[in-house]
Amino acid sequence: MALSSISTFFHLGLLFLFANAMPSLASPKTHYHDFVVQATPVKRLCNTHSTITVNGQYPGPTLEVNNGDTLVVNVVNRAQYNVTIHWHGVRQMRTAWADGPEFVTQCPIRPGGSYTYRFTIEGQEGTLWWHAHSSWLRATVYGALIIHPKEGSSYPFQKPKRETPILLGEWWNANPIDVVREATRTGAAPNVSDAYTINGQPGDFYNCSSADTVIVPTDAGETNLLRVINSGMNQQLFFTVANHKLTVVGADASYLKPFTTNVIMLGPGQTTDVLITANQPPARYYIAACAYASAQGAPFDNTTTTAILEYKTAPCPAKGGASSKPVNASLPKFNDTATATAFTTSLRSPQKAEVPTDIDESLFFTVGLGINQCPPGANKASNCQGPNGTRFAASMNNISFVLPSNFSLLQAHHQGIPGVFTTDFPAAPPVKFDYTGNVSQSLWQPVPATKVYKLKYGAKVQVVLQGTSIFTAENHPIHLHGYDFYIVAEGFGNFNPQTDTAKFNLVDPPMRNTASVPVGGWAVIRFVADNPGTWLLHCHLDVHITWGLAMSFLVEDGVGVLQTLEAPPEDLPVC
């Protein structure tokens, strides 16, 4: 063969190899979106409400990106309330200014104002979501954030035929802002929601709703990836599909060792990816969700929301008569803690996990409710409608978190502004007690304060999240901003380091951003503090964060640019 022919053949071979490698070398994209926050007429449960939405949509737009892509979202506030947007579960590496909780990483976007969130998705795949993080706007201002694998990569399971986001929500026949303002005024618990929703629709079991029940179509034999998100405000939810098995493959944008179940449980903030195969006789099957309500005696919305899994060859509802009625779904009882626990303790990472071991910071945080005595001079009848003439409160380590109002925590930290917060959040409860037993009433009243806990860059952190039975014990979904963490163990009663440490799973614990702390129990999480900024740790039951069930970590800069918080953007809102 002539030399020139060999050369041509060699170059053609290189071109062929390069062409085949192209998908995996596809460069990350930047996605630009405009979010207009505005009041929109929305009709549910027979009534039309002026509802705060994004771009007139309820729920808001679904954002789809690939791992490695950048999002640039310009938020314009045309509503009458302050607003911020939180990208729930996004790591926000060095971009804490884009995280979104008001007065923590930014001042709110005032009515008429705007702010552009810029951040990159790094090393995350699966289902996250975005929502307002200002008062109770989250009730209607939320949407899915779907992160596909990098181009050229694939799921660690067989690619499903179709994918469907399933956003579970709560609906009030009232303005949610009025609901929380009334509760804040009275000191009592807020009114519970009037309905649960799937993709914004209550479903067949509510008045004036069945015409708009969400239909999820399927062909017989095909597999669908349901991306289930609990975007509800104050309620853990059970979720199921009638007569179909759910194969759990991911949660909170982390893959899991697949396992099969009939029902999943999600606290507000949590996401779960499940595969469902249409292997039943062609018909219509209810997709359903209802409350897991673990707090004894506390009121809750005891209704069921539905959508319909509809086989394309099923008889049409108009023609099929009784046979076209959807097959009913079987859901656990509202207080079925055994089913909730069986689910959360089944989650495992797909392979050996890089769990931090030599712990630098061993923290113990009590989480739960409290009550404040009626303040002097307050009108007991109108301002102290909590138990026995008190006002509800909540706390971590007996500190009831107070948001600043003139600066955000991050701004105060970055600019060295004194008097906004103190760095003496306690590493353990100031008083040890029988956390899940009968708690002395002298411990019921927390101390209001704005305290943070400082972490050095790179610190290996363990936090025991210990539920308390002050007033009532319940399951708390605890969310950490800016981080994923491993849940190495959970249990009931008081955490005992002598015996419970032996139960730690340091091999394949699940990675999450929101942990369901069991009712009357505890969970242990671990993470490495490798992201500088101020990061809120809070209960994702919004009534509890309103009452102060939160704290913030302040993670210091490390060494060099890649371990240092970026400078604040020029359009960062001012207070």
Side-chain angles (χ1 to χ4, degrees):
M1 191 184 283
L3 204 59
S4 62
S5 303
I6 292 171
S7 173
T8 306
F9 184 74
F10 178 71
H11 282 113
L12 280 171
L14 273 181
L15 276 170
F16 177 74
L17 279 171
F18 187 69
N20 274 333
M22 275 300 281
S24 58
L25 298 176
S27 55
K29 296 185 178 68
T30 300
H31 304 261
Y32 295 87
H33 295 276
D34 289 303
F35 275 16
V36 179
V37 180
Q38 61 192 37
T40 305
V42 174
K43 186 174 185 182
R44 296 290 185 275
L45 308 183
C46 321
N47 300 305
T48 300
H49 295 270
S50 179
T51 301
I52 306 301
T53 65
V54 168
N55 300 351
Q57 299 173 348
Y58 167 65
T62 293
L63 304 185
E64 296 198 49
V65 300
N66 291 82
N67 180 2
D69 288 355
T70 295
L71 272 163
V72 179
V73 185
N74 180 43
V75 177
V76 178
N77 186 5
R78 292 198 187 136
Q80 68 193 83
Y81 307 108
N82 293 339
V83 72
T84 64
I85 302 291
H86 169 51
W87 315 93
H88 185 111
V90 173
R91 283 294 319 267
Q92 296 290 2
M93 299 303 291
R94 302 176 49 241
T95 53
W97 304 106
D99 188 46
E102 70 173 357
F103 299 115
V104 177
T105 58
Q106 68 169 96
C107 296
I109 307 166
R110 304 287 180 189
S114 66
Y115 178 46
T116 301
Y117 293 89
R118 295 176 174 84
F119 55 92
T120 299
I121 308 284
E122 297 183 50
Q124 294 183 281
E125 293 178 12
T127 307
L128 295 176
W129 63 302
W130 57 265
H131 61 79
H133 213 298
S134 189
S135 184
W136 272 27
L137 286 186
R138 180 167 86 71
T140 54
V141 177
Y142 62 86
L145 172 53
I146 293 169
I147 308 166
H148 298 286
K150 289 183 178 178
E151 285 190 39
S153 302
S154 58
Y155 298 123
F157 45 83
Q158 193 168 354
K159 192 172 193 298
K161 200 72 178 281
R162 65 176 84 214
E163 301 181 9
T164 309
I166 302 280
L167 292 105
L168 309 175
E170 284 183 88
W171 175 264
W172 275 262
N173 255 337
N175 177 349
I177 302 291
D178 291 344
V179 173
V180 68
R181 283 179 176 171
E182 176 69 1
T184 303
R185 184 184 69 78
T186 64
N191 291 342
V192 299
S193 55
D194 295 290
Y196 300 116
T197 57
I198 293 178
N199 294 352
Q201 295 294 343
D204 285 0
F205 302 157
Y206 299 91
N207 291 339
C208 309
S209 300
S210 54
D212 298 306
T213 297
V214 169
I215 304 290
V216 177
T218 186
D219 279 323
E222 79 177 13
T223 298
N224 194 338
L225 174 62
L226 303 183
R227 299 177 176 274
V228 189
I229 301 165
N230 185 347
S231 26
M233 292 290 285
N234 294 314
Q235 193 60 64
Q236 286 89 345
L237 294 166
F238 288 122
F239 173 89
T240 192
V241 181
N243 291 19
H244 288 73
K245 295 279 189 196
L246 307 174
T247 300
V248 178
V249 292
D252 294 358
S254 291
Y255 293 119
L256 293 168
K257 205 168 277 174
F259 69 96
T260 302
T261 179
N262 294 321
V263 65
I264 63 175
M265 191 281 284
L266 307 92
Q270 293 182 323
T271 74
T272 307
D273 290 347
V274 298
L275 295 171
I276 176 170
T277 301
N279 55 10
Q280 296 300 303
R284 305 168 84 232
Y285 296 87
Y286 272 131
I287 299 167
C290 69
Y292 165 49
S294 58
Q296 277 194 320
F300 67 98
D301 178 353
N302 194 11
T303 61
T304 300
T305 180
T306 55
I308 296 169
L309 181 73
E310 184 173 271
Y311 283 65
K312 289 183 181 170
T313 51
C316 283
K319 299 174 187 165
S323 67
S324 74
K325 276 191 178 160
V327 176
N328 267 329
S330 173
L331 280 156
K333 289 202 168 103
F334 71 87
N335 57 357
D336 190 345
T337 292
T339 293
T341 305
F343 174 70
T344 55
T345 53
S346 297
L347 275 52
R348 295 280 184 276
S349 283
Q351 55 268 326
K352 186 163 179 12
E354 293 178 23
V355 187
T357 46
D358 305 315
I359 299 298
D360 303 306
E361 295 274 4
S362 189
L363 308 174
F364 188 101
F365 292 176
T366 55
V367 298
L369 301 188
I371 52 175
N372 286 331
Q373 297 306 316
C374 199
N379 183 324
K380 229 175 186 180
S382 59
N383 303 123
C384 301
Q385 294 180 16
N388 303 317
T390 60
R391 293 176 60 82
F392 271 116
S395 67
M396 288 192 177
N397 281 355
N398 208 43
I399 306 294
S400 192
F401 188 71
V402 179
L403 286 169
S405 55
N406 297 327
F407 301 95
S408 71
L409 296 178
L410 190 60
Q411 190 183 2
H413 161 60
H414 189 256
Q415 297 176 8
I417 300 166
V420 178
F421 62 82
T422 58
T423 57
D424 56 346
F425 186 87
V431 178
K432 288 187 176 173
F433 57 96
D434 179 4
Y435 307 112
T436 54
N438 287 324
V439 182
S440 160
Q441 293 213 5
S442 64
L443 296 167
W444 284 32
Q445 181 148 334
V447 179
T450 309
K451 295 178 184 288
V452 305
Y453 191 91
K454 255 187 173 172
L455 292 171
K456 286 205 172 346
Y457 184 93
K460 294 171 181 173
V461 185
Q462 173 176 295
V463 188
V464 176
L465 298 165
Q466 172 68 61
T468 67
S469 57
I470 294 174
F471 193 69
T472 184
E474 67 183 293
N475 183 298
H476 294 278
I478 302 294
H479 172 48
L480 176 58
H481 288 232
Y483 286 89
D484 288 323
F485 49 72
Y486 290 108
I487 303 177
V488 297
E490 63 172 71
F492 293 99
N494 297 335
F495 176 76
N496 182 335
Q498 274 71 48
T499 54
D500 290 331
T501 309
K503 301 171 189 168
F504 285 7
N505 174 7
L506 303 179
V507 178
D508 59 354
M511 184 185 268
R512 303 211 68 168
N513 61 53
T514 306
S516 290
V517 177
V519 53
W522 50 269
V524 181
I525 66 170
R526 288 186 178 186
F527 64 97
V528 178
D530 59 358
N531 193 9
T534 55
W535 303 108
L536 197 60
L537 177 77
H538 67 96
C539 182
H540 221 280
L541 304 178
D542 268 44
V543 59
H544 289 180
I545 188 173
T546 305
W547 291 337
L549 214 172
M551 60 79 67
S552 180
F553 286 112
L554 194 168
V555 180
E556 298 174 324
D557 285 341
V559 178
V561 174
L562 294 179
Q563 296 182 3
T564 301
L565 177 69
E566 288 182 4
E570 286 181 11
D571 64 338
L572 188 73
V574 292
C575 285

